[in-house]
Every structure is written in C-alpha cells, then in structure tokens.
C-alpha cells in the first residue's frame, strides 16, 4: 500500500519561499515517477513538476520553471518541492503523487495548503 504524506505548507508573503515535503512509504520507489500538482479554489488540478526516482531527472511546467525545484532524498524516501519567489497566484492546495514506472498517477497524498499573501 503506497502512502504519501505531504507537509510544509503554510502562509508566506509574496516573494518568500517554502519547501514542501512528501514522505513516501509502502514500496520500493526506484521505479516510480513522483510529481507535484496543485489545485487552486475553483480551478482544475495543475501539474507542476515530476522526478524519476531512478535517475533524478526532472521536468517542470512553464509556470514554475526557474522558481520551483523538485528533488528526492533516497535515504529518507522523501520528495521535496522547493518554492521560491512565491506569488499570490501560487496559492493552492499542493499534492504529491506517484506513478509506477511512467504510467498514470494512481497514488495521491492528502494535500497541504499554501497561501501567499500579496
């Protein structure tokens, strides 16, 4: 049973930074793709970034490229999302997700709220 638990959300001023964590358990994740999504109030869930656990290669959507960094710590089985230069429009619930190999994201965390005040 894959379990993903996010933490690190909170309230931050525009221009500030936050680091989100996603603790993963229940599997050996070396063949998994891990990703971060977000969903703002009244909007659809948006893909942000993904990392292949096996080799650490990353991909970002344009709206966060250069501001957000996804990474993983193999020893801690944890994926991170470092968010810098935050804007009010980054306010959303942020979700961690996992997909076996490069398939569909079938495992989701409960989400963590990020609020950026302008």
């Amino acid at each position: 049973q894959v379990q993903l638990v996010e933490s690190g959300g909170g309230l931050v001023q525009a221009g500030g930074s936050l680091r989100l964590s996603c603790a993963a358990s229940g599997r050996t994740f070396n063949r998994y793709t891990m990703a971060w999504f977000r969903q703002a109030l009244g909007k659809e869930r948006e893909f942000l970034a993904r990392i292949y656990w096996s080799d650490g290669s990353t991909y970002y959507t344009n709206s966060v490229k250069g501001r957000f960094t996804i990474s993983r710590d193999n020893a801690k089985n944890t994926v991170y999302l470092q968010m810098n230069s935050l804007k009010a429009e980054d306010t959303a619930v942020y979700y961690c997700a996992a997909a076996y190999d490069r398939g569909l994201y079938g495992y989701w965390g409960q989400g963590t709220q990020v609020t950026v005040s302008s």
Side-chain angles (χ1 to χ4, degrees):
Q1 181 80 5
V2 173
Q3 188 172 14
L4 305 174
V5 179
E6 301 101 332
S7 60
L11 175 64
V12 63
Q13 288 189 333
S17 298
L18 278 176
R19 189 178 79 158
L20 305 183
S21 299
C22 172
S25 61
R27 288 284 193 277
T28 301
F29 287 94
N30 60 311
R31 291 197 63 180
Y32 277 73
T33 301
M34 307 298 294
W36 286 96
F37 291 74
R38 69 185 177 191
Q39 188 166 20
L41 199 61
K43 295 189 177 182
E44 292 188 354
R45 190 169 293 185
E46 175 189 16
F47 167 84
L48 301 177
R50 66 97 177 120
I51 186 167
Y52 294 142
W53 204 292
S54 56
D55 63 7
S57 66
T58 59
Y59 175 83
Y60 300 89
T61 193
N62 285 339
S63 63
V64 305
K65 197 177 297 183
R67 297 191 301 126
F68 291 8
T69 303
I70 189 171
S71 63
R72 87 251 190 264
D73 184 325
N74 288 339
K76 296 182 178 180
N77 252 21
T78 299
V79 177
Y80 302 100
L81 186 68
Q82 177 67 43
M83 306 186 295
N84 299 327
S85 303
L86 284 163
K87 307 174 184 179
E89 51 264 42
D90 293 318
T91 295
V93 178
Y94 284 69
Y95 296 91
C96 176
Y100 180 73
D101 205 350
R102 300 183 185 187
L104 297 176
Y105 292 103
Y107 305 98
W108 294 83
Q110 82 287 354
T112 185
Q113 175 72 45
V114 172
T115 303
V116 184
S117 63
S118 56

